[in-house]
Amino acid sequence: MELQKVESEIRKVILDAERVMRDPADLVSYSYDASFGSYMPDIAVQALTTDEVVNIMKIANHYKVPVYPRGQSTSLSGGPLPVQGGIVLDCSQWISKLEVFPEDMLVVVSPGVTAKQINDAALKHGLIYPPDPSSMNIATIGGNLAENSGGPKGLKYGVTKDYVVGLEVVTPEGNVMRTGGKTIKNVTGYDVTNLIVGSEGTLAVITEATLRLYPKPQATVTLMALFDNLIDSGHSISNILSAGIIPAKLEIMDQASIQAVEEYQPTGLPIDVEAMILIELDGHPVAIEQEIEVVRKVCTKYNARKVEIANTEEQALALWKARKLVSPAIVRNKPTKISEDATVPRSKIPEMFTRLKEIRQKYDVELVIFGHAGDGNLHPNIIADANDLEEMKRVEKAVTEIFEAAIELGGTLSGEHGIGTLKAPFLEMELGEVGVDMMKRIKQAWDPNNILNPGKIFAEKGQKFSLTNG
Amino acid sequence: MVKQELAYKETLSCVQCGYCLPACPTYITFKKEKHSPRGRINLVKMAAEGKISYEDMEQGIELCLGCRACETACPSNVPYGTILESAVASLVTYNEERMKKRQKLIKYMLFEHIIPNKKILKIGEVGLSLYQKTGVQKVVRKSNILNVFPEKMKAFENILPEVERHKRQSFYESKQIKKFNVGFFTGCVMDTMFKKINTLSIKLLQMAHCDVSVVPKQGCCGALHNHSGEHDLTIQLAKHNIEIFEKYQFDYIVNSIGGCGAMLIEYDVLLKNDSKWAERAKAFAEKVVDISVLLNQVELPFEKSFSQLVTYQPSCHMTNVQKCVTPPVELIQKIPGISYVPLLEKDMCCGSAGIYNFINYEASMAILDKKMLHVKNTLHQEKAWIITSNPGCHLQMKLGIEREKMNDKVEVYHLVEVLADACDIHI
């Protein structure tokens, strides 16, 4: 690779010297994300315009240098990792556009804007942008789109892809292309928008997005239910949903996470229950009243020890507080958190709980379940110590079996984090040989020189699942 | 082999989720990962593993304010303060020879001579007082002599407080039924530049059921030393203070300085590995409390009403280390007549950060400019007071107002000054 040349070419198209970095202190700062592994890039560039991206892609194609689009690097699957060296294309500072069109109920944004900023801008017009990944305060919309991020509200409102009306992208060969448009209905040609969304930065660099907004619900209310048996909570969850109620959020905390929270910052939860579910209903106040009663009945039928309704905003916040404390609470004894997002159909939630219990015992791992139970996206988290190689090997086996269980139950490897580097070895298990081959052909057609985010989604020859490499 | 002097084990507790990024003033201002908490933790980790040099690590560490807003934002309890201190201390040792001469001189004067030595501070105080009282200040300001000084000296010249010389007793009896026996910690910069605020603090405490002792021979808290990597000096100062204060049977050790209070409250962390001192440090730290906590527990005898728009710039160390967040705000809201408006992005550091604004003047001013943007968006050009709880923030906010030419509209006061005035308490 003719690095010197590549650098000087880039400097010709990006005149602000500060935005082209080759210093070790900068490069090492682009070597990681929130997943595992660390890889040094050769150059890091902060892009601020579509033209800059076009020029960089052209240079990269000429010199055959890989390019890795990056937002705030909060990915849990290795999306922005520069696994084969080359150029990291940092779009996190590209925040120039955030324009709400209230009459069209649309917003047009630059890739560096966060979901939180989009939602805040929408709220000024009585609208909301519903996708709410827990990193919505930090992660960029570019990253959200590339990974098709979800969040607790995915249950009712869907995930990022359900809000994308149109995109401006730069192709791997450096051409600008617009997909979709400004209308909700649009069937002209292939649905390239939805091909790009969730393609993990392997097909195009997203430079602008047109997203749809929703009217803000008139009211919200929070409920909590406690269960002596984890499986009962699973039955309650699937029965609430089949009773025709779609909560905005439906979250679960198992016994291990409740105990961890109570040890960390006591919130007054009983530590002898096996599960707590938290439900947020939103909509018209009258409708909510009725839904509360249905939820109460279902939970009681499945042996809930207690159902509590938050009457004030403060009470609701107090209930959600315990949920927020899970993450800091569970990492107090061991530092490494392996957060999985294997997802199963709603009807299989109780069965997945049973399988997770078995896996926890079989491999003697600290497996904690908390997360978005309502959409089958259970977030089993394993707490370990990355320095303990023997333990990490057991964790690898446990994670492998979690994936197998999810797929056997008709689910998927990843609900919202993406495949990236970590889960690539399992891709064929879910998609089959033909499925993987067709996807590879799409990649080949879009990116003939394999410039854009190589090493993601598709496993390298002989690549094995590992949590222990550097 | 991992470098032992760096807090390597602590760096491993960072899961690199990035939740700290939006809380970090230097990341927001300088827009580079290496100037973010996550980036810095990684730099320390990489340096400890020998994968990058100390010079590389320094690029990220040197511009850290140490405001520790990242600790409050962190969902994984990463002890950022410990990691930062280990990095700064290692760099001090490593850089002893290659440190820039001027910076070295400033640090040497400040740490070895001026700050720990009350006598010299006294001389400075008299000097400062004379400088202002004799009118030399006006001459200097008018004559533009200061143009020959570096920009930073000129900037600080404009915001120096008026120093009032007055005597202080060593004991003040409670004016209400006595409930607490408290030791008052005066601080060194505070007691030089803002002696009046300390004295007013004591008088307010008298109203809050406290017998107040001003322990003689109390020393510097060591915060500035600690942030600059002068670990041994910090420990010396801490031990001295513990020794002096534990001779008394205090219920609380009270201060009105966000930054010093944070240092005092972490003496237990500082000395946790010292078997002789750990217990004593813990006993000391448990008694440390900001004045706002005690004043907020009582009904202060307000005499005056201020028809005034007021906002509050919290001290980062008070928020993120002392975890004292609501008492100052509640106190402000109790003052008759005041209309309180929360400062937008109030948890963003103002860029004062101890002596950061001396050492990293340009960076500090870039951070201050962001802060002032939020001040403007909060106050909408109305006349207002900005209330502070730490002398560093106090001066920096004054500097910001000066730079933005808002002098005719906005005034800066320490919380204690406003409370005392409202209670008609004077020196």
Short mmCIF file of all heavy atoms in Angstrom, two decimals, chain A residues 172-219:
data_model
loop_
_atom_site.label_atom_id
_atom_site.label_comp_id
_atom_site.label_asym_id
_atom_site.label_seq_id
_atom_site.Cartn_x
_atom_site.Cartn_y
_atom_site.Cartn_z
N PRO A 172 -19.31 2.49 -3.32
CA PRO A 172 -17.90 2.18 -3.09
C PRO A 172 -16.98 2.74 -4.17
O PRO A 172 -15.82 3.03 -3.91
CB PRO A 172 -17.87 0.65 -3.09
CG PRO A 172 -19.24 0.26 -2.64
CD PRO A 172 -20.16 1.29 -3.23
N GLU A 173 -17.50 2.91 -5.39
CA GLU A 173 -16.65 3.45 -6.46
C GLU A 173 -16.66 4.97 -6.51
O GLU A 173 -16.05 5.58 -7.39
CB GLU A 173 -17.08 2.86 -7.80
CG GLU A 173 -16.76 1.37 -7.86
CD GLU A 173 -17.47 0.66 -8.99
OE1 GLU A 173 -18.71 0.54 -8.94
OE2 GLU A 173 -16.79 0.23 -9.92
N GLY A 174 -17.38 5.58 -5.57
CA GLY A 174 -17.31 7.03 -5.47
C GLY A 174 -18.35 7.79 -6.26
O GLY A 174 -18.12 8.93 -6.66
N ASN A 175 -19.49 7.17 -6.51
CA ASN A 175 -20.58 7.90 -7.17
C ASN A 175 -21.69 8.21 -6.17
O ASN A 175 -21.94 7.43 -5.26
CB ASN A 175 -21.16 7.05 -8.31
CG ASN A 175 -20.12 6.78 -9.37
OD1 ASN A 175 -19.49 7.71 -9.88
ND2 ASN A 175 -19.90 5.51 -9.66
N VAL A 176 -22.34 9.37 -6.38
CA VAL A 176 -23.44 9.75 -5.49
C VAL A 176 -24.73 9.16 -6.02
O VAL A 176 -24.98 9.16 -7.23
CB VAL A 176 -23.58 11.29 -5.41
CG1 VAL A 176 -24.70 11.66 -4.44
CG2 VAL A 176 -22.27 11.91 -4.96
N MET A 177 -25.56 8.64 -5.13
CA MET A 177 -26.81 8.01 -5.55
C MET A 177 -27.89 8.35 -4.54
O MET A 177 -27.61 8.42 -3.35
CB MET A 177 -26.56 6.50 -5.57
CG MET A 177 -27.79 5.67 -5.77
SD MET A 177 -27.35 3.93 -5.56
CE MET A 177 -28.98 3.23 -5.80
N ARG A 178 -29.11 8.60 -5.05
CA ARG A 178 -30.23 8.81 -4.14
C ARG A 178 -31.14 7.61 -4.19
O ARG A 178 -31.44 7.10 -5.27
CB ARG A 178 -30.98 10.08 -4.51
CG ARG A 178 -30.26 11.33 -4.03
CD ARG A 178 -31.19 12.53 -3.94
NE ARG A 178 -30.52 13.58 -3.17
CZ ARG A 178 -30.67 13.76 -1.87
NH1 ARG A 178 -31.49 12.99 -1.18
NH2 ARG A 178 -30.03 14.72 -1.25
N THR A 179 -31.60 7.14 -3.05
CA THR A 179 -32.56 6.04 -3.03
C THR A 179 -33.85 6.57 -2.42
O THR A 179 -33.84 7.54 -1.67
CB THR A 179 -32.07 4.87 -2.16
OG1 THR A 179 -32.25 5.22 -0.79
CG2 THR A 179 -30.61 4.55 -2.42
N GLY A 180 -34.98 5.90 -2.78
CA GLY A 180 -36.27 6.31 -2.21
C GLY A 180 -36.60 7.72 -2.62
O GLY A 180 -36.23 8.18 -3.70
N GLY A 181 -37.31 8.43 -1.75
CA GLY A 181 -37.68 9.80 -2.08
C GLY A 181 -38.21 10.50 -0.86
O GLY A 181 -37.63 10.40 0.21
N LYS A 182 -39.33 11.21 -1.04
CA LYS A 182 -39.90 11.94 0.08
C LYS A 182 -41.31 11.47 0.38
O LYS A 182 -42.09 12.18 1.02
CB LYS A 182 -39.90 13.44 -0.22
CG LYS A 182 -38.50 14.02 -0.21
CD LYS A 182 -38.54 15.53 -0.16
CE LYS A 182 -37.15 16.05 0.15
NZ LYS A 182 -37.14 17.46 0.47
N THR A 183 -41.68 10.33 -0.15
CA THR A 183 -43.03 9.83 0.07
C THR A 183 -42.96 8.49 0.81
O THR A 183 -41.99 7.76 0.68
CB THR A 183 -43.76 9.60 -1.27
OG1 THR A 183 -42.97 8.70 -2.06
CG2 THR A 183 -43.95 10.90 -2.01
N ILE A 184 -44.01 8.22 1.59
CA ILE A 184 -44.04 6.95 2.31
C ILE A 184 -44.20 5.81 1.31
O ILE A 184 -43.55 4.79 1.39
CB ILE A 184 -45.21 6.94 3.33
CG1 ILE A 184 -45.10 8.11 4.29
CG2 ILE A 184 -45.26 5.61 4.08
CD1 ILE A 184 -43.86 8.18 5.13
N LYS A 185 -45.11 6.01 0.36
CA LYS A 185 -45.30 4.98 -0.66
C LYS A 185 -44.35 5.23 -1.82
O LYS A 185 -44.29 6.35 -2.35
CB LYS A 185 -46.75 5.02 -1.16
CG LYS A 185 -47.74 4.59 -0.09
CD LYS A 185 -49.14 4.56 -0.65
CE LYS A 185 -50.12 4.03 0.39
NZ LYS A 185 -51.50 4.06 -0.12
N ASN A 186 -43.63 4.22 -2.21
CA ASN A 186 -42.66 4.37 -3.29
C ASN A 186 -42.22 2.97 -3.72
O ASN A 186 -41.55 2.28 -2.96
CB ASN A 186 -41.46 5.18 -2.76
CG ASN A 186 -40.42 5.43 -3.84
OD1 ASN A 186 -40.29 4.66 -4.79
ND2 ASN A 186 -39.67 6.51 -3.69
N VAL A 187 -42.64 2.56 -4.91
CA VAL A 187 -42.27 1.21 -5.36
C VAL A 187 -41.51 1.25 -6.68
O VAL A 187 -41.54 0.31 -7.46
CB VAL A 187 -43.51 0.29 -5.50
CG1 VAL A 187 -44.11 0.03 -4.13
CG2 VAL A 187 -44.55 0.89 -6.44
N THR A 188 -40.87 2.40 -6.93
CA THR A 188 -40.15 2.52 -8.19
C THR A 188 -38.83 1.76 -8.12
O THR A 188 -37.93 2.16 -7.38
CB THR A 188 -39.91 4.00 -8.50
OG1 THR A 188 -41.16 4.69 -8.40
CG2 THR A 188 -39.34 4.19 -9.89
N GLY A 189 -38.73 0.71 -8.86
CA GLY A 189 -37.48 -0.07 -8.90
C GLY A 189 -37.25 -0.88 -7.65
O GLY A 189 -38.14 -1.02 -6.80
N TYR A 190 -36.05 -1.45 -7.54
CA TYR A 190 -35.71 -2.23 -6.35
C TYR A 190 -35.73 -1.32 -5.12
O TYR A 190 -35.48 -0.12 -5.22
CB TYR A 190 -34.30 -2.80 -6.48
CG TYR A 190 -34.17 -3.96 -7.46
CD1 TYR A 190 -33.03 -4.08 -8.25
CD2 TYR A 190 -35.17 -4.91 -7.58
CE1 TYR A 190 -32.88 -5.12 -9.14
CE2 TYR A 190 -35.03 -5.97 -8.47
CZ TYR A 190 -33.89 -6.07 -9.24
OH TYR A 190 -33.76 -7.10 -10.12
N ASP A 191 -36.01 -1.92 -3.98
CA ASP A 191 -36.00 -1.13 -2.74
C ASP A 191 -34.57 -1.08 -2.23
O ASP A 191 -34.18 -1.78 -1.30
CB ASP A 191 -36.93 -1.79 -1.72
CG ASP A 191 -37.07 -0.95 -0.45
OD1 ASP A 191 -36.38 0.10 -0.37
OD2 ASP A 191 -37.83 -1.35 0.44
N VAL A 192 -33.78 -0.23 -2.85
CA VAL A 192 -32.36 -0.14 -2.50
C VAL A 192 -32.18 0.46 -1.11
O VAL A 192 -31.25 0.12 -0.38
CB VAL A 192 -31.58 0.66 -3.57
CG1 VAL A 192 -30.12 0.81 -3.18
CG2 VAL A 192 -31.68 -0.05 -4.92
N THR A 193 -33.13 1.35 -0.73
CA THR A 193 -33.04 1.95 0.60
C THR A 193 -32.90 0.86 1.66
O THR A 193 -32.00 0.89 2.50
CB THR A 193 -34.32 2.77 0.89
OG1 THR A 193 -34.53 3.68 -0.17
CG2 THR A 193 -34.19 3.52 2.20
N ASN A 194 -33.80 -0.13 1.58
CA ASN A 194 -33.78 -1.16 2.60
C ASN A 194 -32.65 -2.17 2.42
O ASN A 194 -32.40 -2.99 3.30
CB ASN A 194 -35.13 -1.87 2.67
CG ASN A 194 -35.99 -1.25 3.77
OD1 ASN A 194 -35.46 -0.86 4.81
ND2 ASN A 194 -37.27 -1.12 3.54
N LEU A 195 -32.00 -2.12 1.27
CA LEU A 195 -30.80 -2.94 1.09
C LEU A 195 -29.62 -2.29 1.81
O LEU A 195 -28.81 -2.95 2.47
CB LEU A 195 -30.49 -3.09 -0.40
CG LEU A 195 -29.21 -3.86 -0.76
CD1 LEU A 195 -29.29 -5.30 -0.27
CD2 LEU A 195 -28.97 -3.83 -2.26
N ILE A 196 -29.56 -0.96 1.70
CA ILE A 196 -28.45 -0.22 2.33
C ILE A 196 -28.61 -0.24 3.85
O ILE A 196 -27.63 -0.44 4.59
CB ILE A 196 -28.42 1.25 1.84
CG1 ILE A 196 -28.30 1.32 0.32
CG2 ILE A 196 -27.30 2.02 2.54
CD1 ILE A 196 -27.02 0.82 -0.25
N VAL A 197 -29.85 -0.01 4.32
CA VAL A 197 -30.07 0.01 5.77
C VAL A 197 -29.79 -1.39 6.33
O VAL A 197 -30.35 -2.37 5.86
CB VAL A 197 -31.52 0.44 6.11
CG1 VAL A 197 -31.76 0.33 7.60
CG2 VAL A 197 -31.76 1.85 5.64
N GLY A 198 -28.91 -1.47 7.29
CA GLY A 198 -28.56 -2.77 7.85
C GLY A 198 -27.45 -3.49 7.10
O GLY A 198 -27.11 -4.61 7.44
N SER A 199 -26.87 -2.83 6.08
CA SER A 199 -25.79 -3.49 5.34
C SER A 199 -24.43 -3.29 6.02
O SER A 199 -23.39 -3.67 5.49
CB SER A 199 -25.75 -2.98 3.90
OG SER A 199 -25.39 -1.61 3.87
N GLU A 200 -24.44 -2.71 7.20
CA GLU A 200 -23.26 -2.59 8.06
C GLU A 200 -22.09 -1.89 7.36
O GLU A 200 -20.93 -2.22 7.57
CB GLU A 200 -22.84 -3.97 8.58
CG GLU A 200 -23.98 -4.66 9.32
CD GLU A 200 -23.55 -5.93 10.08
OE1 GLU A 200 -22.34 -6.07 10.34
OE2 GLU A 200 -24.43 -6.73 10.42
N GLY A 201 -22.42 -0.93 6.53
CA GLY A 201 -21.35 -0.14 5.90
C GLY A 201 -20.57 -0.91 4.85
O GLY A 201 -19.47 -0.51 4.50
N THR A 202 -21.14 -2.00 4.33
CA THR A 202 -20.40 -2.78 3.34
C THR A 202 -20.79 -2.43 1.91
O THR A 202 -20.12 -2.82 0.98
CB THR A 202 -20.62 -4.30 3.53
OG1 THR A 202 -22.03 -4.57 3.36
CG2 THR A 202 -20.19 -4.76 4.91
N LEU A 203 -21.91 -1.72 1.74
CA LEU A 203 -22.38 -1.46 0.37
C LEU A 203 -22.28 0.00 -0.04
O LEU A 203 -22.15 0.31 -1.22
CB LEU A 203 -23.85 -1.91 0.22
CG LEU A 203 -24.13 -3.41 0.42
CD1 LEU A 203 -25.61 -3.70 0.17
CD2 LEU A 203 -23.27 -4.26 -0.51
N ALA A 204 -22.37 0.92 0.90
CA ALA A 204 -22.34 2.34 0.55
C ALA A 204 -22.09 3.16 1.81
O ALA A 204 -22.30 2.68 2.92
CB ALA A 204 -23.67 2.76 -0.08
N VAL A 205 -21.63 4.39 1.61
CA VAL A 205 -21.48 5.31 2.73
C VAL A 205 -22.72 6.20 2.75
O VAL A 205 -23.02 6.86 1.75
CB VAL A 205 -20.22 6.19 2.58
CG1 VAL A 205 -20.07 7.12 3.78
CG2 VAL A 205 -18.98 5.34 2.40
N ILE A 206 -23.44 6.19 3.85
CA ILE A 206 -24.67 6.99 3.94
C ILE A 206 -24.29 8.43 4.25
O ILE A 206 -23.61 8.71 5.24
CB ILE A 206 -25.60 6.42 5.02
CG1 ILE A 206 -26.03 5.00 4.63
CG2 ILE A 206 -26.83 7.33 5.21
CD1 ILE A 206 -26.62 4.19 5.77
N THR A 207 -24.71 9.37 3.38
CA THR A 207 -24.30 10.76 3.56
C THR A 207 -25.47 11.68 3.94
O THR A 207 -25.27 12.80 4.37
CB THR A 207 -23.63 11.29 2.28
OG1 THR A 207 -24.48 11.00 1.16
CG2 THR A 207 -22.28 10.61 2.06
N GLU A 208 -26.71 11.19 3.74
CA GLU A 208 -27.88 11.96 4.16
C GLU A 208 -29.07 11.01 4.23
O GLU A 208 -29.13 10.05 3.47
CB GLU A 208 -28.18 13.07 3.17
CG GLU A 208 -29.22 14.06 3.65
CD GLU A 208 -29.55 15.11 2.59
OE1 GLU A 208 -28.75 16.03 2.41
OE2 GLU A 208 -30.61 14.98 1.94
N ALA A 209 -29.99 11.27 5.16
CA ALA A 209 -31.15 10.40 5.26
C ALA A 209 -32.41 11.23 5.42
O ALA A 209 -32.41 12.25 6.10
CB ALA A 209 -31.00 9.44 6.44
N THR A 210 -33.48 10.78 4.78
CA THR A 210 -34.81 11.36 4.98
C THR A 210 -35.61 10.35 5.79
O THR A 210 -35.77 9.20 5.37
CB THR A 210 -35.50 11.63 3.63
OG1 THR A 210 -34.63 12.45 2.84
CG2 THR A 210 -36.83 12.35 3.83
N LEU A 211 -36.05 10.77 6.98
CA LEU A 211 -36.69 9.85 7.91
C LEU A 211 -38.11 10.30 8.22
O LEU A 211 -38.40 11.50 8.22
CB LEU A 211 -35.88 9.80 9.23
CG LEU A 211 -34.39 9.52 9.08
CD1 LEU A 211 -33.68 9.79 10.40
CD2 LEU A 211 -34.15 8.09 8.63
N ARG A 212 -38.98 9.35 8.51
CA ARG A 212 -40.35 9.74 8.84
C ARG A 212 -40.52 9.91 10.35
O ARG A 212 -39.81 9.32 11.15
CB ARG A 212 -41.35 8.73 8.28
CG ARG A 212 -41.27 7.37 8.92
CD ARG A 212 -42.03 6.35 8.11
NE ARG A 212 -43.46 6.52 8.25
CZ ARG A 212 -44.34 5.54 8.02
NH1 ARG A 212 -43.92 4.34 7.64
NH2 ARG A 212 -45.62 5.74 8.17
N LEU A 213 -41.47 10.77 10.70
CA LEU A 213 -41.75 11.06 12.10
C LEU A 213 -43.18 10.65 12.43
O LEU A 213 -44.00 10.47 11.52
CB LEU A 213 -41.55 12.56 12.38
CG LEU A 213 -40.15 13.09 12.04
CD1 LEU A 213 -40.12 14.61 12.12
CD2 LEU A 213 -39.10 12.50 12.97
N TYR A 214 -43.47 10.52 13.72
CA TYR A 214 -44.79 10.11 14.19
C TYR A 214 -45.36 11.21 15.08
O TYR A 214 -44.61 11.93 15.72
CB TYR A 214 -44.65 8.85 15.04
CG TYR A 214 -45.09 7.59 14.37
CD1 TYR A 214 -44.69 7.30 13.06
CD2 TYR A 214 -45.87 6.66 15.05
CE1 TYR A 214 -45.08 6.13 12.45
CE2 TYR A 214 -46.26 5.48 14.44
CZ TYR A 214 -45.86 5.22 13.14
OH TYR A 214 -46.25 4.06 12.55
N PRO A 215 -46.70 11.27 15.19
CA PRO A 215 -47.26 12.20 16.18
C PRO A 215 -46.92 11.72 17.59
O PRO A 215 -46.87 10.51 17.84
CB PRO A 215 -48.77 12.12 15.96
CG PRO A 215 -48.96 11.37 14.69
CD PRO A 215 -47.74 10.55 14.45
N LYS A 216 -46.70 12.65 18.48
CA LYS A 216 -46.38 12.29 19.87
C LYS A 216 -47.62 11.71 20.55
O LYS A 216 -48.70 12.30 20.47
CB LYS A 216 -45.92 13.55 20.60
CG LYS A 216 -45.44 13.29 21.99
CD LYS A 216 -44.93 14.59 22.62
CE LYS A 216 -44.52 14.34 24.05
NZ LYS A 216 -45.39 14.94 25.02
N PRO A 217 -47.48 10.56 21.21
CA PRO A 217 -48.65 9.99 21.91
C PRO A 217 -49.14 10.94 23.00
O PRO A 217 -48.34 11.64 23.63
CB PRO A 217 -48.12 8.70 22.54
CG PRO A 217 -46.78 8.48 21.97
CD PRO A 217 -46.27 9.76 21.41
N GLN A 218 -50.47 10.92 23.22
CA GLN A 218 -51.03 11.88 24.18
C GLN A 218 -50.68 11.56 25.63
O GLN A 218 -50.62 12.43 26.47
CB GLN A 218 -52.55 11.92 24.03
CG GLN A 218 -52.99 12.57 22.75
CD GLN A 218 -54.37 12.09 22.34
OE1 GLN A 218 -54.56 10.91 22.07
NE2 GLN A 218 -55.32 12.99 22.31
N ALA A 219 -50.52 10.27 25.91
CA ALA A 219 -50.25 9.89 27.30
C ALA A 219 -49.41 8.63 27.35
O ALA A 219 -49.41 7.83 26.41
CB ALA A 219 -51.56 9.67 28.04
#
